[in-house]
Structures are given as structure tokens and as C-alpha cells.
Amino acid sequence: MRPISPDPLVWTPAIVAGVLASISIYLNRWGAYMKFTDRVGTYWDYNGDQYDFIVGTSNLNFLIQSRGNPKDFDNWANITGDPSWSYENLLPYFRKTEDFHGIWENARTHGKGGPVRISLPEYTGMGDLYVKAAGELGYPRQDLNGYYTEGFDTIYYPLKDGKRFGVYGAFIEEATVNLEKRITTRQFAQVKRILIDADKRAYGVEYDWHGKTEVAYAAKEVIISAGAMISPQLLMLSGIGPKNHLEELGIQVLSDLPVGNNLQDHISAYLGPFFVNKPIAFSIERDITSVNIANFVVQGRGILTTSGTQAMGFFASKVAKARGQTDWPDIQIILAGVSIGKNFAADFARGFGVRKRTLERYWAHAVGKDSFLQIVSLGRPNAKGTIRLQNTDYQTQPLIDPNYLDNQEDLDILVEGIKKAVDIVEKTRTFGKVKGHFTEIPFPGCENIPFRSDKYWECYATRFSVTLHHIVGSCSMGRNDSKDAVVDTQLRVIGIDGLRVIDASVMPSVIVGNTNAPTIMVGEKGADMILQTYEAERLELIRLAEEQRIQREKEAAAIAAQQAAAQQAAAQQAAAQQAAAQQAAAQQAAAAAQGPIFPARPPPPPPPQEETDPDDYDYDQKRIRTDLESHNIKVEDVRKLNVSMQEELFLRSYHKSNKEFFEKMEKNFTRLVVDEDEDE
């Protein structure tokens, strides 16, 4: 009987390779499916694009959290003449995105609660051993994302549940499902050119979407964030770039700028294999098992939480120290704690554009053994390259000439870094305990040069150095009058309104380290600049909204006051009417109880028979008033009585013995009581 395998699915390396190949096919088919569903799903609600801001984006990095050295950013401030780009002034933007978890927690340098969680993976492999060995050579463990000079540390990653968690998951994906963010994404869209009007103002983009040309209009700005290779291509296709180059291609020049110049990258030598006598490195054949895959996929735990790079360090070369830059490193070394497996050469060749047969020949002796590599990177290269258009077709890849190692100084520094990497393994007690040593097999093409001599290392570096994909500087920022500047320090394209570039291409010099974290920082600072630009407009909108709110509240309060006053007046009127009625009833009852108001008296003598005098009316009124007042009665009191009581009062005051006198007095009495105008 065969022994029971510790792997419940009995996965052999061959089966794993087959599964990975199947995953590749699956992903290709999944990509085609996603394109189809995106095209169908957005067809019905698509009515053209109109936005405040347009951003054409990219997403690429190796998962290493490395900000760069503080001196890198102070150098930016010097180049641009803008102190806001110094490290001290950029720290708030670095902190803003972070949710840092680790031994270097410090409120001054690291953030808490940001959208991107920064932590060590559960599996750090050879990381601690490597840092310990570097310490033997005088390089202490330091926070390589804070204030540091020279030092080493295990590598922190942007992780969530043990898996990669970059800016797409932290920002874009979250914003697309949050209706308040009001963001629209166009998957599978490729921008063809920027639309610029006769006044040299960007007002939109033309883009290909599922084979159809569409246009998106920007009410405020167009923001290019396509990376250091595609952003300059878009600018040049749109008439922004070196005049001579654009004219050669028949492109109308809108702004003559050094687009595509100042290209910088980290040229890096993959040094190894280094051998050890213990299984301390990650092995694809040994460690990719069903159990480990399940732990990673289901729980985000285990050995697969590493990307293979486990520790790194920075130090200053002899050249830097001779310049007085001991505190500004120019060499980076990264531990790739992965053993060379059967398919390692083929995978590496495909990923980095190296000849497969050369690597298979060089690494053949390492397959199946415990080994690892070191990546030696030229941190601050002198070399500067260019990006140019091949033609006016947006789908044609641009011409990229990085000019790697075009000067002896860069090569000398890289060789020094290689020799230091060998020393970390071969001249330390830490690696001595595991019999660590560099291969004795020379690299193909360098066999005739004395092994491990400086000339050999030069040969190795020139034949086996590749990019770390840290390309920057092709749309460099600087002073407006600088011959090297494409954008100003507000990241606005010089000579074109309403257009910014916000990505790694604006960095005036490459930082010492990986570019993912500083590129996120540039995005945060760029967003802050945009907010500040439109702050006045935003505040005006807030002011108008506040005025409208106050006016609505005033109107509502006035209506409420009117209603309250009307209710109060109605209540008062009702109360007055009730009181008047009660008073009248009381007076009527009192009058009835008291009898005649005036005592009976003999009738007056008949008046002389004379013609009616116009003044008689006034005379009679005065007489009536006198009669009433002699009994302490005022005309106003009479008016408060009802008609029957007024009539009784008159009858008891005057008798009918003389008809003409009686009728005359009755008429004037009535007029006196009811004629209010005359009384007033």
C-alpha cells in the first residue's frame, strides 16, 4: 500500500501547475464575460457623459509598502521651489490613507483608521533572519516608512484579510457603490485623446468603449492618471508635448512642453541563487498545497499571504557618502525568499522580458534545492530616458527608452550594492548557521571574466538587470519657467486650462524605494489641491444654501406668527363680544329692577308756534345731553342700551302732551344716539 499523503487531495506540483494553467484560461474567459456584461448592463441607461471631473486610471504595484526616504521629498521641494512638497508637509497625506498595524506605530509618522490597512503578512518567511544578518554588518532594524537613514526591516504590505488591498478596493470600489460619492466608472474604456477648445481649455475626453467612440465632457477639469507611460502618450496625442516630435507626426501643437522626458526607473539586478541547507525559503513545489490554498482563500491566512518579498533595506553608497549624503540612501536591497522551481525561469522570463533559455541554463542547477534571491536596486539613478509616440494611433504602444546604466557611476553603485548583498549572506554568522552561500556557476556570457571580480559583477548587472516597474518623471512637475516642467506644483498642465496630471509621472525624481505608497500620496495631495481650487465656489454654494434655509425659516415663522395673531385676535373679539353681551344683560336686568331712570315730571309747556329754526337741532341736542347728565347719564351709556331700553328711557323723560314737541325731541334724541360722526 502507498503511504497516505499529508495533502488530502494528493496535489503534486504537476497537478498544481495544471490547476494554475486552468485558472489562467478561466480568467481569460471571465474577462471576456465581464466585458460582455458591462456592455449589456450599461447599454440601457447610457445617455452620454457629463461630469464635473474626469479621471482616465491604472492599477499596478508589487505590494511593497515603501514611502521613500524623507530626503527624496525634500529634494522635490528644492526642485520645484514649493515647500509644500517637503516630507514634513507630505506626512499628513501619507498618514491619511493608512490604517497602520505594526511595531512602528507612531502618531507622527503613521496613520490609524485610514482606508488602506498596512501590516505584516502572517508569513514573513526568511524576513527576520535576513534583518538580523544585516544588523551584523551595521544596518539596524528601522521603520522604513518613517524617518530613517540606513537600515533593514521586514516588509509591510497593504493587506485585508491576508490578501492584497490596494487603491481600487480602498477607494474606487467603495465609491462606486456609495451613491453619495456620485462616481461613475467606465470599465474596458480606453481614452483616445483629450478634448481641448480654441481657448486652450480641456473640456472632455474621447474614448473607446466596447469598440465604439464615446465622448465624456467635464464641467470643471480633466484629470489624467494613466501612469508614467500612458499619461505622456495621451498628452502628446492631444497636442501637448515636444514641438518637433509632434510636428513630425502631423499633430497640431497646443503647448510645447517636455512631455516624455525625464523618465526615471529603478534598474535592478536579480542576484542569485543563494543556497541554504534548511527549508527556510518558500518553495512552489513544496508549499502550494490544497491545505495552504484553502487557508489562504477561506481565512486569508498561512504561507500564501506573502508575495515572496519578505524583507528589505536601504543604505548609502560610497558615491553618496563622498557627496556628504550619508543620511540619504541610494541603494535598496530586497529579499525574495523563494526557491527556484521547475517553472521559475519560464515565469520570470515572461514577466520581465528576459530570455527564457538563458535563465533555464543559469538556474538549472538550483531547481529542487533550497535557495533564494536578492534584488539589488539602483535607488537614485543618474540615467534619464524618454517616451515618444510611434504614430498617432492611440492603440499603438509608445516608444520607451529608459537609458538604463548609460553612465559609469550608476553601474559602479549597482556593483557596490551587489557585493553588499553577497556579504549579507556570506559574511554573517546568521546565514553561516544555515550554510548560506552564493552560487559558483557564472552567468551565461560572463564565463570568461574572473568570477566575482568587479568586472564580473558589471557583466552580471548589465546582462541580468530588469525594471522594478517604478517608472516616474515623464510629466515632471516644476517651476512654470523650468525647461523640464510639464505641470506646475498644483499639477496643472502648463499652458492648458482645466487639465491636470495626478500620478507617478509628475514626480521630478524617483524616490529611493517602491512607488506605490508615494503615488497614493500624490493622489491624496492632488485631490486636496482640487478641493482648495473650488473651495470658494463650494463655500458660495454653501452660503446660498444657508441663505435659502434662513429665508424659508423666516417665511415659516412669519406665517406661524400671522396665524397665532389671527387666532389671538379672534379669541379677544369673542371674549369682548361675550363680555359686552354679559354687561348689556346685566344693565338690562338692573334697569328693569330699578324702574324708570328719570322720575316722572309734568309735561313741559307747549313751545311757541314758530317756524323751524336750523339751529333748533343743536339746541335740542344740548338740551337732551343736559337732561341726561343731570341724572349722571352720558350719551355713550345710552348707546350701550338696546333699542327697547332706549325707547323706554325717552318715553319716561318726555311726554306726548304736545305732539310736535314730542316728535321733534324723539327725532333729535334718536339722531344723537345713533349719529356717531356727529358725536365725534
Side-chain angles (χ1 to χ4, degrees):
M1 295 180 62
R2 293 182 179 179
I4 298 176
S5 169
D7 184 346
L9 296 183
V10 200
W11 281 25
T12 65
I15 295 176
V16 171
V19 171
L20 294 177
S22 300
I23 291 175
S24 177
I25 296 173
Y26 168 76
L27 291 175
N28 286 334
R29 292 180 177 176
W30 179 256
Y33 168 75
M34 289 295 293
K35 286 186 179 180
F36 173 77
T37 56
D38 181 74
R39 182 172 66 251
V40 174
T42 56
Y43 175 81
W44 301 106
D45 63 350
Y46 180 69
N47 296 312
D49 293 335
Q50 177 70 51
Y51 308 105
D52 285 337
F53 300 96
I54 296 174
V55 187
T57 60
S58 64
N59 186 29
L60 177 69
N61 71 80
F62 198 48
L63 206 64
I64 293 177
Q65 180 71 7
S66 173
R67 290 179 182 174
N69 189 271
K71 291 287 185 179
D72 294 327
F73 305 103
D74 293 341
N75 185 45
W76 288 9
N78 291 331
I79 292 173
T80 62
D82 187 343
S84 72
W85 287 99
S86 68
Y87 184 65
E88 192 68 27
N89 289 323
L90 293 177
L91 270 177
Y93 299 108
F94 280 119
R95 291 194 300 261
K96 182 179 180 181
T97 61
E98 280 190 350
D99 183 21
F100 186 86
H101 294 264
I103 64 172
W104 306 112
E105 292 186 4
N106 184 317
R108 183 185 180 196
T109 54
H110 290 291
K112 278 287 190 182
V116 181
R117 180 186 174 93
I118 305 298
S119 63
L120 290 174
E122 185 174 72
Y123 174 78
T124 57
M126 298 172 57
D128 287 332
L129 181 145
Y130 187 76
V131 173
K132 181 179 179 182
E136 291 186 43
L137 299 183
Y139 302 114
R141 184 185 289 265
Q142 290 204 35
D143 179 7
L144 302 181
N145 288 283
Y147 286 92
Y148 71 93
T149 53
E150 295 182 316
F152 282 67
D153 193 17
T154 47
I155 293 176
Y156 284 78
Y157 294 164
L159 296 173
K160 183 177 183 180
D161 299 325
K163 303 179 183 67
R164 172 191 294 269
F165 191 66
V167 293
Y168 178 78
F171 296 94
I172 300 174
E173 188 174 45
E174 187 273 336
T176 57
V177 298
N178 189 333
L179 297 180
E180 294 182 358
K181 297 293 180 67
R182 295 184 297 177
I183 184 174
T184 300
T185 59
R186 287 281 175 258
Q187 297 186 78
F188 312 109
Q190 184 175 356
V191 176
K192 302 170 71 172
R193 66 187 180 98
I194 304 159
L195 301 177
I196 302 173
D197 62 23
D199 296 323
K200 295 188 177 181
R201 178 174 184 82
Y203 64 91
V205 295
E206 182 180 274
Y207 65 100
D208 177 88
W209 191 32
H210 299 302
K212 184 180 178 182
T213 297
E214 302 287 356
V215 175
Y217 299 100
K220 291 183 172 65
E221 292 188 15
V222 175
I223 303 162
I224 304 300
S225 301
M229 291 180 284
I230 304 302
S231 286
Q233 181 187 25
L234 284 175
L235 291 178
M236 289 187 283
L237 287 172
S238 307
I240 304 168
K243 179 181 179 185
N244 293 339
H245 177 58
L246 298 186
E247 289 179 341
E248 288 174 358
L249 296 173
I251 298 175
Q252 181 185 1
V253 180
L254 299 180
S255 186
D256 181 12
L257 295 174
V259 175
N261 295 351
N262 195 44
L263 184 72
Q264 299 169 53
D265 188 19
H266 288 145
I267 184 71
S268 306
Y270 272 72
L271 187 63
F274 290 88
F275 296 103
V276 290
N277 66 354
K278 292 184 179 180
I280 58 176
F282 177 87
S283 170
I284 294 177
E285 283 80 2
R286 183 180 62 234
D287 296 322
I288 296 185
T289 66
S290 60
V291 173
N292 287 338
I293 291 175
N295 284 339
F296 175 70
V297 173
V298 177
Q299 302 181 46
R301 304 191 64 181
I303 197 169
L304 299 184
T305 57
T306 180
S307 69
T309 55
Q310 298 160 357
M312 64 181 178
F314 299 91
F315 59 92
S317 69
K318 295 177 182 177
V319 173
K321 291 178 179 178
R323 293 173 178 163
Q325 298 173 346
T326 303
D327 58 347
W328 189 6
D330 58 347
I331 298 175
Q332 178 184 17
I333 300 181
I334 303 172
L335 168 67
V338 180
S339 295
I340 293 172
K342 184 171 60 175
N343 296 315
F344 199 86
D347 294 338
F348 192 97
R350 182 171 57 251
F352 291 92
V354 182
R355 292 177 181 175
K356 175 184 174 183
R357 290 183 180 179
T358 300
L359 293 182
E360 287 178 336
R361 176 184 167 190
Y362 179 56
W363 283 338
H365 69 293
V367 174
K369 298 180 181 179
D370 289 297
S371 62
F372 63 93
L373 300 172
Q374 295 186 71
I375 305 169
V376 182
S377 178
L378 190 61
R380 293 193 279 122
N382 293 304
K384 291 180 172 59
T386 59
I387 293 181
R388 293 291 183 263
L389 300 176
Q390 293 194 59
N391 53 47
T392 58
D393 184 358
Y394 72 98
Q395 293 181 314
T396 302
Q397 297 294 327
L399 293 170
I400 303 174
D401 183 5
N403 286 325
Y404 294 135
L405 302 177
D406 69 342
N407 61 92
Q408 187 61 40
E409 184 173 276
D410 282 355
L411 187 57
D412 290 343
I413 295 172
L414 190 56
V415 167
E416 182 180 347
I418 289 173
K419 293 164 70 175
K420 185 69 69 175
V422 174
D423 289 346
I424 291 175
V425 177
E426 295 189 343
K427 293 186 178 181
T428 61
R429 293 186 302 275
T430 301
F431 271 104
K433 293 178 181 179
V434 292
K435 304 299 181 184
H437 66 279
F438 185 61
T439 181
E440 296 298 325
I441 303 299
F443 193 83
C446 303
E447 297 94 338
N448 297 325
I449 303 174
F451 192 59
R452 299 200 181 196
S453 67
D454 284 356
K455 288 298 181 183
Y456 173 80
W457 294 128
E458 287 185 7
C459 180
Y460 189 100
T462 54
R463 288 180 175 269
F464 194 21
S465 289
V466 297
T467 177
L468 276 189
H469 304 294
H470 295 168
I471 298 176
V472 307
S474 52
C475 299
S476 182
M477 68 172 164
R479 297 176 173 87
N480 285 354
D481 59 351
S482 171
K483 63 181 179 59
D484 300 319
V486 174
V487 299
D488 62 16
T489 57
Q490 294 290 307
L491 309 184
R492 298 170 297 200
V493 175
I494 297 171
I496 303 293
D497 293 331
L499 181 62
R500 296 188 205 234
V501 180
I502 305 180
D503 58 26
S505 70
V506 305
M507 299 180 185
S509 63
V510 66
I511 54 96
V512 179
N514 305 70
T515 53
N516 180 51
T519 301
I520 295 175
M521 175 277 294
V522 169
E524 285 286 1
K525 183 171 173 60
D528 194 38
M529 290 173 175
I530 293 171
L531 290 175
Q532 291 176 9
T533 298
Y534 296 95
E535 181 69 4
E537 177 180 319
R538 186 182 71 85
L539 291 176
E540 178 64 14
L541 291 175
I542 292 175
R543 186 189 65 79
L544 291 174
E546 183 65 11
E547 285 186 353
Q548 293 174 355
R549 183 190 66 79
I550 293 173
Q551 182 61 28
R552 289 194 298 269
E553 290 181 353
K554 287 182 177 179
E555 292 175 354
I559 293 173
Q562 291 175 355
Q563 292 175 344
Q567 293 174 353
Q568 183 178 7
Q572 291 175 345
Q573 183 178 6
Q577 291 176 346
Q578 183 179 5
Q582 292 174 348
Q583 183 179 9
Q587 291 176 345
Q588 184 174 5
Q594 292 177 0
I597 297 178
F598 300 121
R601 67 182 190 179
Q609 300 295 323
E610 297 177 352
E611 295 183 0
T612 302
D613 188 344
D615 295 331
D616 286 348
Y617 171 73
D618 292 336
Y619 171 79
D620 292 335
Q621 271 204 340
K622 292 178 181 179
R623 179 177 173 179
I624 293 172
R625 283 181 181 274
T626 300
D627 293 338
L628 292 173
E629 289 174 358
S630 65
H631 292 88
N632 294 322
I633 298 175
K634 296 181 179 179
V635 175
E636 289 77 4
D637 296 329
V638 178
R639 289 173 180 160
K640 295 178 182 179
L641 302 178
N642 56 33
V643 175
S644 60
M645 295 184 68
Q646 291 176 4
E647 183 177 3
E648 180 181 356
L649 175 63
F650 176 75
L651 291 175
R652 290 184 179 277
S653 301
Y654 305 97
H655 299 275
K656 292 185 177 180
S657 57
N658 186 309
K659 182 179 180 181
E660 289 183 0
F661 175 78
F662 182 86
E663 290 177 350
K664 179 179 179 182
M665 294 301 291
E666 181 184 35
K667 177 180 177 181
N668 289 335
F669 179 89
T670 301
R671 290 183 64 182
L672 177 65
V673 172
V674 302
D675 192 353
E676 295 181 4
D677 291 337
E678 183 64 26
D679 180 63
E680 291 174 358

